[in-house]
């Protein structure tokens, strides 16, 4: 058999007439030589000699004959395939309902899977846009409680000198947001002031112009490198922008280069400038060894050193630092090195895992759904296939015909799926910028299209194998018997029941995932944030540092701003705070209670400065004592503490009247870090400043005048729509100080809270959408298989009714037929749902991965939909007219 196959494919078969032809020519030559007088033996020997290598001629003729036979057979087979393809197209065109349902189902499954693949490929698989990004790490100090903090600049200098050859490069980054004048008014520009070797350590090349040199980073050179986003939005994307000047806080800088669009470190940076070019306040802040905020340190590992070996070198420097400067470094002698890739991606791998699992289940369900439809269609075409088999069509020919139909459906589904993937990818790039990083890298390219084609091929194989095997395994007698009997055989019935079970199980798993995400959102909405966000408009105020370097002058500006905002028509209450809830900004301060000091690094609180009307404006409840009063702005230092701090340090006691010590925390001030002893005058409720899903922390509130921050936030309580007050409020604030950057300063606390919930809301929306699609597919699949089964049993049902069966009870008997499939699907679906829940665990809040309510709800919905999808065609079958059915048969 192997020899025959090889001969057929490669032309190695030797036709018998080739030997006959060669023998004929040799014999004729021998006879001629015999006529010339040679003996018979000599004539044959001479004939063979003159003829040449007969074996070579025989091989050449055999190869040519084989090639011709090969071409003829493949041309014949191609012609058969072409005829079958045309027939498949006509057959699909005659059944538009099946064709459309199959193509749409596969388009949803392939499109969703391809879209998520494009996300995974663009976010996870594409390397960061730096040379050897796997060697980049961020460096932090860590205490025994696993808290981390950025290095101060003096610490960075000591460590950089101490680690020596342990790293290939190391750089310090310090961020501020100086205002830049624009036609719309001043806007804050997030600028990263970097030390020497920053871009060399990072390993990037410019898109335009050049990067900072070592000499520039060590001097006060007025040059900046612009990010691609800043160049596009603020410089018009003009290639001639190199050499243009911009003004930052009354200082002039020259743009010398533009980075590629993928470069984003730090993620907030719009400009990069020399560290030596910091304003005076910034340089004063850097000089302090206890300044650990708004900074980052990046290092590049040597290719010949492991991460653990590098960490050991840093640990020695940290221990030396703690011994030399115990007042600022004691307890912070552990080093944490976080790979840059992990910092950039954050929770994206977990979220993409959830999305990938979800769309994978949808794709499986889509394939199972289409396979069920194809199986129903194949058994309905039993007479046609039986006739083909009776006329001599082999099993492979029947499978080829069905495979071509599956190929047409799968390719059409893949093509439509690419369109779905493109639309889905574009939607995700605009709808999830705060949920997933590096979305600029996500696109449907040739690699993604290849993935879609591969999916189409796999789907073709899956769709062709099952129905084709069912159609071809029994021969014409089985198919004709099935047609005459009016029902499918037992194996076909088992196949349909298996497909129904799989559909229901997959749909149940996705419904349970949706239930978990909805329960998470419900738990988040039930969390009390500690304030009332409705109607709260916020404004970030950042006065120009050059004009408001004096704390007294800055405090006077804030007082005037608060008074002016309160006079705007429609404004209810107003207040000031350095850190509003859900802003993501915080400032920890070491605290001492009643003069009792502690070396425990956890004796910290969040340092917040406010105006007297803050608690009333935010609707934060006062639990005991009193709130701040206007007289506290100029009197002795007083403080308000939250419930968490009071219960931690004064359990079962009233803290009102006690004293605590905190430390001033405004950057660049000469009094930064100085102790501030204040009397506690009140206790307020806890506020979830760091996020709804984050733990409560101790907090201390003081009047903003005791330590006027260089920037502050204004909270405005509005009875109606907060957005309606933005124009008059902006005009009033600019009348107080024209240089206030107000272009992008307005927001609402509702929006801030929504941004905090955005990742889970996004996942809930996606999982819910796919779950609804899965439920619809499962319902359609159950309905279609039931409708087909009922149609095949039409004669049987009519005969039973004619013999006196109760027509009203027939639908219930048909519905009872699906109960075994449901009984198997529910435990399978619950098991799959538990696996899905474990994958989603990192995205849940306030709910267990095996939440019984989510599982029970998903099961109830699935069972109800499955029974309804079975009952509808069953009820229609019960209404048949027995006489009409019997006459038609």
């Amino acid at each position: 058999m192997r020899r025959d196959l090889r001969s057929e494919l490669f032309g190695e078969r030797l036709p018998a007439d080739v030997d006959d032809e060669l023998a004929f020519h040799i014999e004729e030559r021998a006879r001629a030589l015999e006529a010339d007088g040679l003996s018979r033996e000599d004539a044959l020997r001479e004939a063979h000699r003159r003829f040449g290598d007969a074996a070579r001629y025989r091989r050449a003729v055999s190869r040519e004959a084989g090639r011709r036979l090969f071409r003829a057979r493949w041309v014949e087979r191609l012609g058969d395939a072409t005829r079958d393809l045309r027939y498949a197209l006509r057959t699909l065109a005659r059944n538009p309902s099946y064709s459309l349902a199959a193509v749409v189902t596969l388009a949803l499954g392939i499109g969703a899977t391809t879209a998520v693949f494009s996300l995974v490929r663009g976010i996870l698989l594409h390397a960061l846009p730096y040379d050897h990004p796997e060697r980049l790490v961020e460096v932090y100090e860590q205490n025994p409680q696993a808290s981390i903090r950025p290095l101060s600049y003096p610490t960075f200098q000591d460590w950089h000198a101490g680690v020596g050859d342990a790293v290939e490069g190391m750089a310090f980054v310090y961020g501020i947001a100086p205002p830049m004048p624009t036609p719309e008014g001043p806007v804050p520009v997030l600028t990263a002031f970097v030390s020497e070797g920053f871009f060399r350590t990072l390993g990037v090349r410019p898109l335009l112009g050049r990067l900072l040199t070592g000499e520039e980073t060590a001097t006060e050179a007025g040059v900046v490198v612009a990010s691609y986003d800043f160049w596009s939005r603020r410089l018009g994307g003009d290639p001639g922008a190199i050499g243009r000047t911009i003004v930052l806080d009354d200082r002039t800088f020259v743009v010398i280069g533009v980075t590629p669009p993928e470069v984003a470190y730090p993620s907030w940076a719009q400009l990069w400038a020399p560290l030596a070019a910091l304003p005076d306040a910034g340089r004063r802040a850097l000089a302090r060894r206890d300044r650990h905020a708004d900074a980052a340190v990046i290092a590049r590992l040597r290719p010949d050193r492991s991460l653990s070996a590098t960490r050991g070198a840093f640990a020695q420097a940290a221990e030396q630092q703690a011994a030399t400067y115990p007042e600022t470094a004691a307890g912070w002698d552990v080093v944490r090195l976080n790979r840059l890739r992990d910092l950039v991606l954050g929770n994206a791998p977990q979220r993409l895992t959830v999305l990938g699992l979800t769309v994978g289940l949808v794709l499986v369900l889509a394939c199972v759904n289409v396979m069920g439809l194809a199986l129903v269609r194949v058994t309905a075409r039993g007479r046609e296939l039986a006739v083909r088999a009776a006329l001599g069509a082999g099993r492979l020919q029947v499978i080829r015909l069905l495979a071509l139909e599956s190929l047409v459906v799968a390719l059409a589904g893949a093509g439509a799926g690419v369109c779905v993937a493109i639309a889905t990818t574009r939607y995700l790039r605009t709808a999830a910028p705060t949920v997933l990083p590096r979305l600029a890298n996500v696109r449907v390219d040739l690699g993604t299209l290849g993935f879609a084609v591969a999916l189409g091929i796999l789907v073709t194989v899956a769709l062709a194998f099952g129905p084709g095997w069912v159609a071809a395994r029994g021969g014409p007698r089985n198919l004709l018997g099935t047609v005459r009997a009016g029902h499918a055989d037992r194996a076909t019935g088992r196949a349909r029941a298996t497909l129904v079970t799989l559909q229901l199980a997959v749909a149940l798993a996705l419904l349970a995932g949706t239930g978990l995400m909805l329960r998470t959102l419900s738990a988040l909405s039930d969390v009390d944030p500690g304030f009332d966000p409705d109607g709260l408009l916020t404004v970030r105020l950042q006065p120009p540092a050059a004009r408001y370097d004096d704390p007294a002058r800055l405090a006077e500006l804030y007082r005037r701003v608060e008074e002016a905002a309160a006079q705007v028509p429609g404004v209810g209450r107003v207040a000031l705070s350095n850190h509003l809830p859900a802003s993501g900004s915080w400032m920890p301060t070491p605290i001492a209670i009643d003069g009792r000091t502690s070396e425990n690094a956890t004796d910290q609180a969040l340092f917040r400065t406010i105006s007297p009307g803050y608690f009333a404006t935010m609707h934060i409840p006062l639990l005991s004592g009193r709130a701040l009063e206007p007289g506290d702005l100029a009197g002795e230092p007083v403080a308000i503490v939250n419930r968490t701090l009071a219960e931690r340090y004064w359990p079962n006691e009233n803290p009102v009247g006690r004293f605590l010590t905190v430390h001033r925390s405004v950057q660049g001030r000469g009094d930064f870090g100085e102790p501030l002893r204040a009397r506690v005058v009140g206790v307020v409720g806890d506020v979830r400043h760091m996020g709804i899903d984050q733990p409560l922390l101790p907090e201390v509130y003081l009047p903003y005048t005791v330590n006027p921050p260089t920037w502050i936030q204004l909270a405005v309580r509005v009875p109606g729509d907060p957005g309606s007050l933005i124009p008059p409020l902006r005009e009033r604030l600019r009348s107080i100080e024209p240089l206030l950057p107000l272009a992008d300063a307005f927001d609402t606390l509702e929006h801030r809270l929504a941004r905090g919930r955005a990742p889970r809301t996004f996942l809930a929306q996606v999982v819910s959408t796919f779950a609804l699609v899965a439920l619809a597919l499962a319902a359609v699949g159950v309905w279609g298989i039931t409708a087909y089964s009922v149609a095949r049993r039409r004669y049987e049902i009519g005969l039973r009714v004619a013999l006196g069966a109760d027509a009203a009870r027939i639908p219930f008997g048909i519905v009872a037929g699906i109960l075994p499939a449901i009984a198997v699907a529910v435990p399978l679906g619950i098991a799959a749902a538990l696996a899905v829940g474990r994958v989603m665990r990192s995205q849940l809040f306030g709910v267990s991965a095996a939440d019984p309510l989510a599982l029970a709800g998903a099961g109830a919905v699935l069972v109800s939909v499955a029974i309804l999808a079975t009952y509808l065609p069953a009820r229609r079958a019960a209404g048949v007219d027995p006489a009409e059915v019997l006459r038609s048969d």
Side-chain angles (χ1 to χ4, degrees), residues 203-271:
V204 298
R205 296 170 181 81
L207 177 69
L208 296 174
R210 63 178 179 85
L211 303 176
L212 298 173
T213 64
E215 293 78 9
E216 289 169 338
T217 53
T219 63
E220 298 183 30
V223 293
V224 293
V225 175
S227 68
Y228 184 87
D229 180 68
F230 182 90
W231 174 67
S232 301
R233 293 193 305 115
R234 298 298 180 187
L235 302 178
D238 180 13
I242 304 300
R244 185 183 300 182
T245 60
I246 60 175
V247 177
L248 300 175
D249 202 7
D250 294 335
R251 298 183 61 197
T252 301
F253 291 83
V254 178
V255 178
I256 62 171
V258 178
T259 60
E262 299 86 6
V263 173
Y265 183 82
S267 60
W268 43 261
Q270 298 173 275
L271 296 174

Side-chain angles (χ1 to χ4, degrees), residues 22-54:
L22 292 175
F24 171 76
H25 287 289
I26 293 174
E27 180 64 27
E28 287 297 314
R29 180 66 59 87
R31 287 179 181 177
L33 291 174
E34 278 187 275
D36 292 339
L38 293 179
S39 64
R40 174 67 179 174
E41 183 178 344
D42 292 339
L44 284 173
R45 186 181 302 110
E46 182 64 18
H48 277 289
R49 187 186 67 80
R50 293 184 180 183
F51 190 83
D53 189 355

